[in-house]
Amino acid sequence: MHGNRREKRMGGIFIPAFLFIGIGIGLLVGQPAVGALTGIGIGFIAMAAMRTRERMSTGLHSDAPEFISFIVGLMFIVAGIGLVYFPKMLWPYLGAAVLILIGLWFMFRGYRSFSYPEQDDAEPVEKKA
């Protein structure tokens, strides 16, 4: 049971890992903000891929949270690339709006996870025939 929880939470390690890798590469090329945004985006995509793989191995097919994480990752990558090619356009305002929406999404998702108990910890209900 303890091993199951560890495997479930393994997907979340990609965000900080790729964040630091992105910042490091960004520092090397003189664009740490672009590296950070791109690293976070790749981390979200890697997390979504890992969780989708875990769900497929257990037979679950609800990929909505993973799809949203994938879209968030793509938005971060586009924002990072946009900082290089279009720095003076709407990126400061658009970026702020996207970050606020992502923060609200995380709060909603966290609230929802505290509202409902995890199904792995619940005892299986046996049906009587």
Side-chain angles (χ1 to χ4, degrees), residues 35-50:
L37 288 173
T38 306
I40 290 174
I42 293 170
F44 269 104
I45 291 171
M47 178 185 69
M50 178 70 149

PDB file of all heavy atoms in Angstrom, residues 35-50:
ATOM      1  N   GLY A  35      14.053  30.133 -19.628  1.00  0.00           N
ATOM      2  CA  GLY A  35      14.392  28.775 -19.197  1.00  0.00           C
ATOM      3  C   GLY A  35      13.461  28.270 -18.114  1.00  0.00           C
ATOM      4  O   GLY A  35      13.037  27.108 -18.131  1.00  0.00           O
ATOM      5  N   ALA A  36      13.103  29.148 -17.156  1.00  0.00           N
ATOM      6  CA  ALA A  36      12.200  28.748 -16.080  1.00  0.00           C
ATOM      7  C   ALA A  36      10.814  28.412 -16.618  1.00  0.00           C
ATOM      8  O   ALA A  36      10.238  27.376 -16.261  1.00  0.00           O
ATOM      9  CB  ALA A  36      12.108  29.855 -15.038  1.00  0.00           C
ATOM     10  N   LEU A  37      10.276  29.272 -17.475  1.00  0.00           N
ATOM     11  CA  LEU A  37       8.944  29.012 -18.029  1.00  0.00           C
ATOM     12  C   LEU A  37       8.923  27.743 -18.879  1.00  0.00           C
ATOM     13  O   LEU A  37       8.002  26.932 -18.777  1.00  0.00           O
ATOM     14  CB  LEU A  37       8.469  30.207 -18.854  1.00  0.00           C
ATOM     15  CG  LEU A  37       8.077  31.447 -18.057  1.00  0.00           C
ATOM     16  CD1 LEU A  37       7.801  32.611 -18.990  1.00  0.00           C
ATOM     17  CD2 LEU A  37       6.870  31.167 -17.192  1.00  0.00           C
ATOM     18  N   THR A  38       9.945  27.571 -19.697  1.00  0.00           N
ATOM     19  CA  THR A  38      10.010  26.375 -20.536  1.00  0.00           C
ATOM     20  C   THR A  38      10.193  25.128 -19.676  1.00  0.00           C
ATOM     21  O   THR A  38       9.572  24.099 -19.936  1.00  0.00           O
ATOM     22  CB  THR A  38      11.149  26.510 -21.558  1.00  0.00           C
ATOM     23  OG1 THR A  38      10.966  27.723 -22.286  1.00  0.00           O
ATOM     24  CG2 THR A  38      11.155  25.347 -22.529  1.00  0.00           C
ATOM     25  N   GLY A  39      11.025  25.224 -18.641  1.00  0.00           N
ATOM     26  CA  GLY A  39      11.233  24.090 -17.739  1.00  0.00           C
ATOM     27  C   GLY A  39       9.964  23.685 -17.016  1.00  0.00           C
ATOM     28  O   GLY A  39       9.649  22.499 -16.897  1.00  0.00           O
ATOM     29  N   ILE A  40       9.221  24.672 -16.528  1.00  0.00           N
ATOM     30  CA  ILE A  40       7.946  24.369 -15.868  1.00  0.00           C
ATOM     31  C   ILE A  40       6.984  23.716 -16.862  1.00  0.00           C
ATOM     32  O   ILE A  40       6.293  22.752 -16.530  1.00  0.00           O
ATOM     33  CB  ILE A  40       7.319  25.640 -15.261  1.00  0.00           C
ATOM     34  CG1 ILE A  40       8.128  26.111 -14.057  1.00  0.00           C
ATOM     35  CG2 ILE A  40       5.883  25.384 -14.839  1.00  0.00           C
ATOM     36  CD1 ILE A  40       7.666  27.429 -13.503  1.00  0.00           C
ATOM     37  N   GLY A  41       6.941  24.237 -18.086  1.00  0.00           N
ATOM     38  CA  GLY A  41       6.055  23.658 -19.102  1.00  0.00           C
ATOM     39  C   GLY A  41       6.395  22.215 -19.399  1.00  0.00           C
ATOM     40  O   GLY A  41       5.510  21.354 -19.458  1.00  0.00           O
ATOM     41  N   ILE A  42       7.678  21.932 -19.564  1.00  0.00           N
ATOM     42  CA  ILE A  42       8.093  20.550 -19.822  1.00  0.00           C
ATOM     43  C   ILE A  42       7.793  19.675 -18.608  1.00  0.00           C
ATOM     44  O   ILE A  42       7.392  18.516 -18.744  1.00  0.00           O
ATOM     45  CB  ILE A  42       9.585  20.500 -20.209  1.00  0.00           C
ATOM     46  CG1 ILE A  42       9.783  21.194 -21.562  1.00  0.00           C
ATOM     47  CG2 ILE A  42      10.098  19.064 -20.267  1.00  0.00           C
ATOM     48  CD1 ILE A  42      11.234  21.413 -21.935  1.00  0.00           C
ATOM     49  N   GLY A  43       7.953  20.237 -17.405  1.00  0.00           N
ATOM     50  CA  GLY A  43       7.620  19.491 -16.192  1.00  0.00           C
ATOM     51  C   GLY A  43       6.157  19.117 -16.123  1.00  0.00           C
ATOM     52  O   GLY A  43       5.804  17.991 -15.759  1.00  0.00           O
ATOM     53  N   PHE A  44       5.273  20.052 -16.478  1.00  0.00           N
ATOM     54  CA  PHE A  44       3.839  19.749 -16.492  1.00  0.00           C
ATOM     55  C   PHE A  44       3.517  18.671 -17.521  1.00  0.00           C
ATOM     56  O   PHE A  44       2.717  17.761 -17.256  1.00  0.00           O
ATOM     57  CB  PHE A  44       3.024  21.011 -16.804  1.00  0.00           C
ATOM     58  CG  PHE A  44       2.608  21.781 -15.581  1.00  0.00           C
ATOM     59  CD1 PHE A  44       3.268  22.941 -15.236  1.00  0.00           C
ATOM     60  CD2 PHE A  44       1.560  21.351 -14.793  1.00  0.00           C
ATOM     61  CE1 PHE A  44       2.888  23.666 -14.128  1.00  0.00           C
ATOM     62  CE2 PHE A  44       1.172  22.070 -13.674  1.00  0.00           C
ATOM     63  CZ  PHE A  44       1.843  23.234 -13.341  1.00  0.00           C
ATOM     64  N   ILE A  45       4.129  18.745 -18.684  1.00  0.00           N
ATOM     65  CA  ILE A  45       3.871  17.748 -19.723  1.00  0.00           C
ATOM     66  C   ILE A  45       4.389  16.381 -19.292  1.00  0.00           C
ATOM     67  O   ILE A  45       3.718  15.359 -19.468  1.00  0.00           O
ATOM     68  CB  ILE A  45       4.481  18.200 -21.062  1.00  0.00           C
ATOM     69  CG1 ILE A  45       3.701  19.411 -21.596  1.00  0.00           C
ATOM     70  CG2 ILE A  45       4.479  17.066 -22.082  1.00  0.00           C
ATOM     71  CD1 ILE A  45       4.316  20.077 -22.791  1.00  0.00           C
ATOM     72  N   ALA A  46       5.575  16.347 -18.682  1.00  0.00           N
ATOM     73  CA  ALA A  46       6.126  15.073 -18.197  1.00  0.00           C
ATOM     74  C   ALA A  46       5.258  14.491 -17.079  1.00  0.00           C
ATOM     75  O   ALA A  46       5.025  13.281 -17.025  1.00  0.00           O
ATOM     76  CB  ALA A  46       7.561  15.269 -17.712  1.00  0.00           C
ATOM     77  N   MET A  47       4.755  15.366 -16.183  1.00  0.00           N
ATOM     78  CA  MET A  47       3.880  14.905 -15.111  1.00  0.00           C
ATOM     79  C   MET A  47       2.590  14.321 -15.695  1.00  0.00           C
ATOM     80  O   MET A  47       2.119  13.265 -15.267  1.00  0.00           O
ATOM     81  CB  MET A  47       3.541  16.061 -14.181  1.00  0.00           C
ATOM     82  CG  MET A  47       2.590  15.682 -13.052  1.00  0.00           C
ATOM     83  SD  MET A  47       2.083  17.076 -12.051  1.00  0.00           S
ATOM     84  CE  MET A  47       1.052  17.979 -13.190  1.00  0.00           C
ATOM     85  N   ALA A  48       2.020  15.001 -16.686  1.00  0.00           N
ATOM     86  CA  ALA A  48       0.796  14.495 -17.310  1.00  0.00           C
ATOM     87  C   ALA A  48       1.042  13.153 -17.987  1.00  0.00           C
ATOM     88  O   ALA A  48       0.216  12.239 -17.889  1.00  0.00           O
ATOM     89  CB  ALA A  48       0.270  15.510 -18.318  1.00  0.00           C
ATOM     90  N   ALA A  49       2.184  13.018 -18.653  1.00  0.00           N
ATOM     91  CA  ALA A  49       2.504  11.749 -19.311  1.00  0.00           C
ATOM     92  C   ALA A  49       2.674  10.628 -18.291  1.00  0.00           C
ATOM     93  O   ALA A  49       2.180   9.514 -18.491  1.00  0.00           O
ATOM     94  CB  ALA A  49       3.769  11.910 -20.152  1.00  0.00           C
ATOM     95  N   MET A  50       3.349  10.921 -17.180  1.00  0.00           N
ATOM     96  CA  MET A  50       3.567   9.901 -16.153  1.00  0.00           C
ATOM     97  C   MET A  50       2.245   9.476 -15.517  1.00  0.00           C
ATOM     98  O   MET A  50       1.991   8.289 -15.323  1.00  0.00           O
ATOM     99  CB  MET A  50       4.518  10.451 -15.087  1.00  0.00           C
ATOM    100  CG  MET A  50       4.763   9.503 -13.961  1.00  0.00           C
ATOM    101  SD  MET A  50       5.745   8.131 -14.541  1.00  0.00           S
ATOM    102  CE  MET A  50       6.628   7.736 -13.081  1.00  0.00           C
TER     103      MET A  50
END
